[in-house]
Amino acid sequence: MTKKAFYLLLLSLLLTACTSEDSAKNHESEDVQRNESAPMITSIKTNFPENEGWVVVPAHSSDLTVTVEATNAETLLFWSVPTGTETWGERELIGYDTNGNDGWKITWNIAGKSLHNRLVVQALGSDGKTITDETINITNE
């Protein structure tokens, strides 16, 4: 893949994610019907333990590995979003994975970062039209 093609793919992925509805709004819609080709995220795991709904990252940790089980997905986007209300616009793309054949996973360099964030995983559907997301909370020890 040429460098130009790679950047066009990345731009396309970002535009798709940026035009989706606010992450919190996606979770509020319980009456949305899912079709069989829509992406589904069945689990999100990290290399650190969870305590009372928060993944707790030990002090001086350098990497956070996020592993996702998903179906009907073509690409997974991984976003860091500050906690609070109306913060989706302040999100940071921390990684993406376009090959689920080897598992959906990223490793995020968190050395020196102060964390009290939501990590939002967006699954872009293999049909090119659907998107779904799941959120986990992350904080430093």
Side-chain angles (χ1 to χ4, degrees):
M1 179 181 293
T2 67
K3 206 173 199 179
K4 185 176 181 179
F6 172 78
Y7 287 121
L8 286 173
L9 172 65
L10 183 57
L11 179 62
S12 173
L13 294 173
L14 289 173
L15 289 174
T16 301
C18 291
T19 58
S20 70
E21 292 181 25
D22 181 88
S23 175
K25 291 179 185 175
N26 288 344
H27 292 294
E28 293 172 1
S29 301
E30 293 295 332
D31 58 347
V32 174
Q33 293 182 354
R34 294 186 182 262
N35 63 39
E36 290 182 19
S37 65
M40 287 185 53
I41 297 172
T42 54
S43 76
I44 302 173
K45 297 179 182 173
T46 71
N47 54 324
F48 298 113
E50 185 177 321
N51 184 11
E52 296 182 10
W54 288 84
V55 172
V56 181
V57 178
H60 308 296
S61 297
S62 60
D63 291 319
L64 174 72
T65 300
V66 182
T67 306
V68 178
E69 290 183 20
T71 57
N72 299 327
E74 181 176 287
T75 301
L76 264 61
L77 302 175
F78 298 82
W79 300 94
S80 173
V81 183
T83 54
T85 58
E86 304 293 326
T87 58
W88 182 245
E90 300 172 43
R91 69 194 177 280
E92 173 189 358
L93 181 66
I94 58 173
Y96 65 94
D97 191 345
T98 60
N99 185 0
N101 293 331
D102 61 351
W104 300 106
K105 178 171 36 172
I106 65 154
T107 300
W108 180 23
N109 180 347
I110 56 169
K113 291 190 186 284
S114 176
L115 300 172
H116 195 70
N117 303 42
R118 294 182 309 226
L119 190 136
V120 177
V121 179
Q122 286 185 320
L124 306 180
S126 53
D127 62 2
K129 299 176 185 176
T130 53
I131 186 170
T132 191
D133 58 73
E134 294 292 331
T135 303
I136 61 173
N137 298 311
I138 299 175
T139 192
N140 291 106
E141 187 172 64

